[in-house]
Amino acid sequence: MKDTPLSNCERDFILKAIEEKKRLDGRQTYDFRRIKITFGTDYGCCFVDLGKTRVMAQVSCELVAPKESRPNEGIMFFNIELSPMASPAFEQGRQSELSVKLNRQLERCLRNSKCIDTESLCVVAGEKVWQIRVDVSMLNNDGNLMDAASVAAITALCHFRRPDVGIQGDEVTVYSPEERDPIPLSIYHMPISISFSFFQQGTFLLVDPCEREERVMDGLLMIAMNKHREICSIQSSGGIMLLKEQVMRCSKIAAVKVSEITELISKALLNDRTARKAGGRCGFAESMPQERITALKTDETLMETSDVTERANDIVEKAGAPPQTVPSPLVPAPGVGQVSQGQQNTWGLQEEDEDDDDDDDEQNGKETKMETEPQEEEKGAGDVVEISDSEEEEVVILTSETSGQAKNADSSSHQKRAAASKRRPKK
Amino acid sequence: MEVCESSKVSLREFGCEQNLLSRPDGSASFVQGDTSVMAGVYGPAEVKVSKEIYDRATLEVLIQPKVGLPTVRERSQEQCIRETCEASLLLSLHPRSSLTLVLQVLHDDGSLLSCFLNAACMALMDAGLPMSCLFCGVTCAINTDGQIITDPTAAQEKESRALMTFAIDCAKRRVLMSSTKGSFSVHELQQCIAVSQKASEKIFQFYRDSVRRRYSKNL
């Protein structure tokens, strides 16, 4: 399904508004939309709402053999899935340009910045390491997917706990969460990607573009930075020439935004930790808003099921027993078994019934009898039956049946005899 | 054989939120205990020529697992849900158009297929698509003692001898779809259907309540 195109007047309107320092949703130039971070029931599951943009990240782990070049380092794997739920333009299972771009940026932001201690993920050097897999799925696309995805991914990684392992000699034991408390990943710093969109060849700059703004922008600059003001990656796309001052200004804005978001993430993580410690239920079900009229929740409901047995009995009785079938396997030839219909040909019987009606048919019947005689003779005469012989027989039968006239049948039977007589000298 | 009359015949607390995503034409999230699913519907919209059906709309159901790509299991669930939706949607009113239903697993704690069905129905309702009737999904598990458990958790599913999921329509409580696993007798099947039909009344009442709340002026 194609995305709805943006009309010219919409485009002009948005650009005009930006020139007048106004945004569609009433934000200021450097304002981020509201960020909301919630956690799922299991470890390493995180939902991020950035305005109306909604992203889910899930971290999972698996024991695998390490890469040969790095035998004592764990493996990080990132996958951004552009689910068709997020936008009608996204297709399932197809690597679009956008998904490649987002995946690459997330990898550069989180893997190449060495924010996760991969050496601590090694179990047995050269044999077994943990592979940490981060799946980010987009649920709703309202612009700036990258920032939401990077926040979701790093928060999910911070929230994730991997199972503890014990090594005794050559044996590696993976303990379940009940046996031993799972271990969090060791994370050095939290890089967060901040997007800047440029309009009118870089004259105007907006932070956190929404979907409409993304459609009319000329260029995009993504800066991944941690709270220590260390830049982890910079990516500029869209082919606009940026001045040095602009990049510097963007990096200053990014530093402020990153420290705000990092603060939010650590607060959210702390909240979740205390909630889990208190033993309360947490997860998506709990984060569902109660105060909206579009949402409704009920408590556990009991059901009255006293008459269920009776109803089931009724139905079974009404249906009655299935008809008794007599198993009648047939063995037409050694090694072949056959059951069910079609064991015997009943067509011949029907033909006999029809024979009573017409004279012609009676004659036909005679003819067929006549034909059968020489066949029997042949079979009696020699045990070698040639293929050409059988073909002739078929031809004879066809002509006699289609014409249905005695003359033809006669002539054909003559031919047949002739053919038979021809063959005899051969033997 | 003598089953039921037990406290296990209950439905976990369930919740639903409609219209929570801005992009899809209809969206809903459905929660049964800890099992949660999000659904988004797009359509009726333009259809690919290869998928066009001349006298009705093409319905596509996609299930997104939480980790990795969809597997055979998801594909078979997609088919179950698609056939159920096709039975209740009036697809002939939108010939040569496409409907896309995307279901995202948020957390799996048992009875996932029934949660998919409920979320799908709520999302289709939210999208305002014409339907001949509503439907809901109920999962029943028969444990080793022969007791029927409705809306089982993942742990209960694991211990069960048989697992059945039925889609039930709201008009005559007929079974639109059934998907079963494990072995059971004819009698047990009929019992489970009867239990599911009972449970469906509760779910349809919940549908009714949530839609009433949605179109009311106050909370």
Side-chain angles (χ1 to χ4, degrees), chain B residues 6-217:
Chain B
S6 69
S7 63
K8 300 213 168 170
V9 183
S10 66
L11 295 168
R12 288 179 286 178
E13 66 274 21
F14 43 90
C16 169
E17 187 182 356
Q18 279 186 310
N19 203 9
L20 73 166
L21 301 177
S22 67
R23 287 304 291 272
D25 296 314
S27 58
S29 68
F30 205 90
V31 173
Q32 290 176 220
D34 277 334
T35 306
S36 13
V37 163
M38 198 181 277
V41 178
Y42 285 97
E46 188 187 352
V47 66
K48 269 189 196 164
V49 181
S50 59
K51 288 179 184 167
E52 187 182 280
I53 305 175
Y54 66 92
D55 61 345
R56 61 191 172 94
T58 311
L59 177 67
E60 208 178 348
V61 177
L62 302 167
I63 292 179
Q64 301 284 336
K66 222 176 169 194
V67 173
L69 294 169
T71 56
V72 177
R73 181 168 166 258
E74 275 78 27
R75 294 263 177 265
S76 81
Q77 285 174 335
E78 277 172 13
Q79 204 169 337
C80 286
I81 295 160
R82 199 187 66 230
E83 278 157 10
T84 312
C85 294
E86 277 175 351
S88 67
L89 281 167
L90 299 171
L91 292 172
S92 54
L93 293 181
H94 299 284
R96 294 178 206 183
S97 50
S98 85
L99 298 177
T100 315
L101 170 64
V102 192
L103 294 156
Q104 170 77 49
V105 186
L106 300 180
H107 187 75
D108 181 6
D109 187 29
S111 318
L112 188 63
L113 185 56
S114 60
C115 199
F116 276 143
L117 287 162
N118 293 332
C121 186
M122 288 307 249
L124 292 173
M125 245 197 277
D126 185 41
L129 292 170
M131 292 162 92
S132 60
C133 59
L134 299 181
F135 59 88
C136 75
V138 184
T139 301
C140 296
I142 303 175
N143 68 8
T144 41
D145 305 335
Q147 277 181 320
I148 296 175
I149 306 167
T150 50
D151 198 11
T153 62
Q156 285 170 330
E157 271 188 8
K158 225 175 193 177
E159 285 168 12
S160 66
R161 170 161 60 91
L163 195 68
M164 307 173 212
T165 303
F166 302 103
I168 293 169
D169 80 334
C170 80
K172 288 179 181 162
R173 306 277 186 269
R174 286 168 306 189
V175 178
L176 287 174
M177 185 276 299
S178 79
S179 162
T180 63
K181 209 171 92 178
S183 64
F184 47 83
S185 66
V186 177
H187 190 83
E188 282 172 326
L189 174 72
Q190 289 300 342
Q191 265 184 342
C192 284
I193 291 176
V195 168
S196 306
Q197 284 169 333
K198 279 264 175 190
S200 73
E201 281 167 28
K202 302 273 181 198
I203 298 171
F204 288 130
Q205 189 55 46
F206 173 75
Y207 282 2
R208 195 170 288 278
D209 289 346
S210 68
V211 172
R212 182 177 291 146
R213 181 179 156 105
R214 199 181 151 188
Y215 292 108
S216 66
K217 284 177 187 161

Side-chain angles (χ1 to χ4, degrees), chain A residues 1 3 58 84-85 92 140-141 281 288 290-292 294-296 298 300-301 303 305 309 311 313, chain B residues 9-11 13-18 22-23 34 42 45 62 64 66 68 187 191 197 199 213-214 219:
Chain A
M1 207 165 103
D3 218 346
Q58 171 71 54
M85 194 194 277
Q92 195 188 33
N140 197 37
N141 174 20
R281 287 188 53 192
M288 207 148 100
Q290 289 292 297
E291 67 282 359
R292 289 193 200 158
T294 50
L296 181 66
T298 56
E300 193 171 329
T301 44
M303 289 188 303
T305 54
T309 322
R311 277 183 65 184
N313 280 334
Chain B
V9 183
S10 66
L11 295 168
E13 66 274 21
F14 43 90
C16 169
E17 187 182 356
Q18 279 186 310
S22 67
R23 287 304 291 272
D34 277 334
Y42 285 97
L62 302 167
Q64 301 284 336
K66 222 176 169 194
H187 190 83
Q191 265 184 342
Q197 284 169 333
R213 181 179 156 105
R214 199 181 151 188
L219 286 172

Side-chain angles (χ1 to χ4, degrees), chain A residues 9 27 35 50 65 70 78 138 254 284 287 329 404-405:
Chain A
C9 49
R27 281 184 288 159
I35 303 181
L50 179 66
R70 294 168 194 277
F78 296 94
M138 307 299 174
F284 182 80
S287 68
Q405 286 179 1

Side-chain angles (χ1 to χ4, degrees), chain A residues 186-205:
Chain A
S186 58
I187 292 167
Y188 297 131
H189 58 97
M190 288 159 62
I192 290 158
S193 167
I194 305 289
S195 301
F196 301 89
S197 53
F198 292 93
F199 302 86
Q200 311 277 0
Q201 263 66 49
T203 330
F204 299 101
L205 176 153

